[in-house]
Amino acid sequence: MTVTPDSHAFAIQEIPFSRQGSWFNISSVTAQHARAQDLHLISHQNGMHAVLRFVPLHPSSGSRAETVWRATPTMLTWEADPGRISMVYESADTVRLRGERLDLAITPADQELTSFTGTYLYRDPVDGSYQFTSYETGRRYRVTLLDGTIATAVGLEGLAGADRRLVLSGPQGWEAVIEEIDSARQPYAPRGDFDAAALSHAEAFRDFAGAVAPLPSRQAPAAELAAYVLWSATVRPAGFLRRPAVLMSKHWMDKVWSWDHCFNALALAQGLPDLAWDQFQIPFDHQDETGALPDSVTHSEILFNFVKPPIHGWALRRLRERLPRQPESDELRETYRRLGRWTDFWLRARTAPGLGLPHYQHGNDSGWDNATTFDGRRVLITADLAAFLVLQLAELAELAKDLGDAGAADRHLGTADAVQQALLEELWSDGRFRSRSPHSGDWSTSRSLLDLMPIVLGERLPREVADRLAERIAEHLTRHGLATEHTDSPHYQPDGYWRGPIWAPATVLIEDGLRRAGHTGLADDISRRFRHLCETSGFAENFDALTGEGLRDRAYTWTASSYLLLADEHHRRTSDEPGDPPASADRGRGGAHR
């Protein structure tokens, strides 16, 4: 996607239409890498499921109308001269539709109805509404007609492969409401007219964007769109998610993974501190008896078959720097306990007897699923893991000091120093970090950017190590950003996931480490290139390192958050001149941290 001169419009083929709190969206993306001809209502309860299909029709003939989709953060339209259908969210679970000189057919996304799959259509004798009941989501989709609307229903109470559809029309225009409900609800009562719903929707987004992206448009021209990606991917508490949650996407990546959430928390911290704190805590709400965090959490699924890297100490340090005020002591104490248990998991459950460094069991544990670091062996002691653990122990020491436990602080720092010493003594050789099998002790090397991740240690690194890492990192820098596999490597792939493409988390972690290690020029360059990449190619899951093309999921929240984070920090650095307003001005409009 290219950001158009109209900064409010976006391509709905790439970014779904939704709003904060909603568990459904409107999109043509119906499954992983699958785009339909028509827009669909897609629910993310019980997984990603296309439920309803929307087909605009010519009123005179009933034939399909070829329309142009136009989406902004506050309204979705189907346009076919001279007709139009408009949609806005009235609330998180309710959308309003208005048609002028165009009819609309609403059908199940899958016409086949079985005992376990599909969508059933009937008319409710209580309020006269039409209801689509979805087996996949376990929810109902109630369509209520407003004044002047005519409904033509086909296949009511039909089973199996019966044609089921509801056509909305009206000679003077028509209006209807669709609600996602559980088992039942009071008959729909309008809260105002369509325009009032549109205004309320617009105000809700404007408040959110003003809180998280109050950046000058000349410095961050994609900030509003980044804010929309975050706002629209946020869901209200439901299922296993006990807090408001920013999903990675309202496409198929509709989960909270246990490192992705850290970047969303950082982007939200200054403007919406309560929401940011919730993002950080979500995986910790499901910590198991060993202290492990789940791999991912979503509405109806918690996975523990893998974990994610312990970047949480690094993230918490930065989060506390960005929050308008610090958490209360009871919250800090609970977070200290949770972070300590997560650290102990790596020191006990993932460190083999007699060894000083922990290991991953698979590339998935690192977050870099298929990085070439893991080509030779999957169970591996890697330098990035040790570096993250050092930072986590250092943050535990800071928390212990803040809580008045100097003895615990000293113990954490002592362990951090021991892990760092083992990292340098065991994995640093000939100007590079290597990986090691905990079984055989055999060494391996790669040309993955992951092997350079210990730069996150920043000022803790010996100068010669930091300088050599910076040199190697610069070799991964293309015109668009940091390639995750060196572009000269025989294993480089333009769309190879972690074997070449540019990723937001690697960019943010390395940029921060370089800056703290004194390599500010390189850090500035990396930040500038990544921000420009997002401004020209959107907020994709990852990007082709040589062309800059967005790849995979095109509406990814940690990419949007990383853009906002880097843009905000750039703005603060460049506005620290006499006479400039402080970069923190107007922050905290989302309310003080609880």
Side-chain angles (χ1 to χ4, degrees):
M1 183 199 72
T2 300
V3 178
T4 63
D6 180 356
S7 63
H8 298 283
F10 59 86
I12 196 169
Q13 299 93 328
E14 298 188 355
I15 300 175
F17 180 69
S18 191
R19 69 160 289 158
Q20 184 179 33
S22 181
W23 277 94
F24 69 85
N25 61 269
I26 312 300
S27 176
S28 62
V29 177
T30 57
Q32 184 172 358
H33 307 307
R35 286 197 178 117
Q37 179 183 4
D38 300 304
L39 295 182
H40 286 64
L41 185 150
I42 312 290
S43 177
H44 298 274
Q45 301 197 65
N46 292 334
M48 179 187 181
H49 300 289
V51 180
L52 301 177
R53 181 167 62 111
F54 300 108
V55 183
L57 304 174
H58 291 292
S60 56
S61 64
S63 61
R64 171 190 291 273
E66 295 302 321
T67 57
V68 175
W69 302 328
R70 175 176 170 77
T72 71
T74 57
M75 186 175 293
L76 170 64
T77 60
W78 292 257
E79 298 178 349
D81 188 39
R84 170 192 296 248
I85 298 169
S86 302
M87 175 188 285
V88 297
Y89 273 82
E90 184 175 83
S91 67
D93 61 15
T94 304
V95 291
R96 289 189 63 146
L97 285 154
R98 180 168 66 186
E100 306 167 71
R101 297 182 295 278
L102 274 180
D103 296 347
L104 181 67
I106 304 174
T107 72
D110 183 355
Q111 284 285 358
E112 186 66 26
L113 180 63
T114 75
S115 299
F116 303 102
T117 63
T119 302
Y120 171 63
L121 172 63
Y122 68 97
R123 190 172 188 191
D124 189 343
V126 173
D127 61 7
S129 67
Y130 296 87
Q131 296 200 19
F132 293 88
T133 299
S134 167
Y135 278 93
E136 283 79 7
T137 70
R139 302 301 185 279
R140 300 161 190 260
Y141 301 84
R142 183 170 74 177
V143 182
T144 301
L145 312 182
L146 301 184
D147 292 345
T149 302
I150 300 169
T152 303
V154 175
L156 291 176
E157 304 178 39
L159 302 177
D163 180 18
R164 290 180 292 280
R165 53 193 161 91
L166 183 66
V167 178
L168 307 179
S169 62
Q172 304 302 318
W174 56 266
E175 289 194 29
V177 174
I178 303 176
E179 302 164 273
E180 184 176 53
I181 65 176
D182 294 338
S183 59
R185 181 179 291 182
Q186 289 294 317
Y188 174 79
R191 305 175 189 179
D193 61 15
F194 183 94
D195 292 335
L199 179 60
S200 175
H201 186 159
E203 288 176 345
F205 173 64
R206 185 168 63 245
D207 290 346
F208 182 94
V212 304
L215 297 163
S217 59
R218 66 184 183 279
Q219 283 199 355
E224 182 183 80
L225 187 58
Y228 174 73
V229 170
L230 285 172
W231 183 72
S232 64
T234 303
V235 294
R236 64 189 182 279
F240 288 124
L241 289 168
R242 305 169 191 169
R243 307 167 186 261
V246 181
L247 305 178
M248 282 309 97
S249 173
K250 277 186 181 166
H251 289 324
W252 60 89
M253 302 295 282
D254 54 354
K255 300 182 182 183
V256 176
W257 274 270
S258 292
W259 70 314
D260 311 45
H261 67 111
C262 293
F263 301 92
N264 290 337
L266 292 175
L268 295 167
Q270 292 185 330
L272 295 171
D274 285 351
L275 184 59
W277 190 251
D278 282 334
Q279 300 323 296
F280 183 78
Q281 296 291 349
I282 284 170
F284 288 96
D285 290 341
H286 303 279
Q287 199 166 19
D288 76 5
E289 65 277 5
T290 71
L293 299 184
D295 186 38
S296 63
V297 183
T298 190
H299 179 275
S300 303
E301 177 187 83
I302 305 174
L303 298 180
F304 280 95
N305 55 323
F306 294 106
V307 293
K308 284 294 173 277
I311 70 166
H312 302 82
W314 168 86
L316 184 59
R317 175 187 63 82
R318 297 207 58 189
L319 183 60
R320 294 208 292 156
E321 291 171 353
R322 293 179 63 79
L323 287 171
R325 73 178 188 188
Q326 291 303 296
E328 301 293 338
S329 60
D330 58 339
E331 290 182 294
L332 212 57
R333 191 172 301 279
E334 176 64 8
T335 301
Y336 171 66
R337 185 188 70 83
R338 289 175 160 195
L339 192 66
R341 294 183 64 231
W342 176 223
T343 305
D344 287 344
F345 165 80
W346 290 99
L347 294 173
R348 296 172 182 171
R350 287 296 185 89
T351 301
L355 299 182
L357 295 173
H359 60 268
Y360 292 130
Q361 294 176 346
H362 187 281
N364 289 358
D365 285 345
S366 75
W368 295 49
D369 308 1
N370 66 334
T372 55
T373 299
F374 302 96
D375 276 3
R377 296 172 181 84
R378 308 290 180 263
V379 180
L380 207 60
I381 295 170
T382 65
D384 68 295
L385 174 53
F388 291 141
L389 202 58
V390 169
L391 295 180
Q392 193 148 292
L393 286 157
E395 181 61 16
L396 283 171
E398 289 299 312
L399 289 170
K401 285 195 295 184
D402 291 348
L403 294 169
D405 192 340
D410 289 342
R411 288 194 298 275
H412 292 315
L413 279 179
T415 307
D417 290 342
V419 173
Q420 181 164 332
Q421 182 177 352
L423 166 66
L424 293 170
E425 289 180 354
E426 297 179 23
L427 300 185
W428 179 258
S429 177
D430 297 327
R432 66 184 305 152
F433 281 109
R434 298 182 293 173
S435 301
R436 186 176 185 180
S437 166
H439 294 298
S440 66
D442 291 344
W443 300 103
S444 63
T445 59
S446 78
R447 301 192 72 185
S448 173
L449 187 65
L450 183 61
D451 296 352
L452 307 177
M453 191 55 72
I455 194 65
V456 296
L457 289 169
E459 68 280 3
R460 294 183 63 99
L461 284 170
R463 170 51 54 190
E464 63 275 13
V465 174
D467 290 349
R468 187 64 182 126
L469 288 175
E471 290 175 11
R472 290 185 176 272
I473 289 167
E475 294 171 0
H476 282 255
L477 192 56
T478 73
R479 184 162 62 94
H480 303 287
L482 289 169
T484 47
E485 178 76 8
H486 197 292
T487 56
D488 289 341
S489 165
H491 304 295
Y492 172 84
Q493 298 174 24
D495 188 10
Y497 222 50
W498 292 96
R499 303 171 77 89
I502 296 165
W503 285 79
T507 300
V508 170
L509 286 161
I510 287 175
E511 191 267 358
D512 176 68
L514 285 167
R515 198 171 297 285
R516 288 185 292 105
H519 290 274
T520 56
L522 181 55
D524 287 343
D525 196 16
I526 289 170
S527 171
R528 178 184 60 79
R529 294 187 196 205
F530 184 79
R531 285 182 284 116
H532 180 71
L533 176 64
C534 292
E535 288 159 5
T536 55
S537 298
F539 302 106
E541 185 178 358
N542 53 54
F543 304 87
D544 186 309
L546 298 180
T547 69
E549 177 190 0
L551 304 171
R552 309 290 175 125
D553 193 314
R554 301 301 181 90
Y556 218 69
T557 55
W558 74 356
T559 308
S561 288
S562 296
Y563 173 80
L564 290 173
L565 182 64
L566 292 173
D568 177 70
E569 292 179 339
H570 171 72
H571 175 61
R572 286 189 288 114
R573 286 193 300 271
T574 56
S575 63
D576 282 342
E577 298 178 0
D580 280 349
S584 58
D586 298 326
R587 294 291 192 183
R589 279 177 278 179
H593 182 69
R594 60 175 180 269

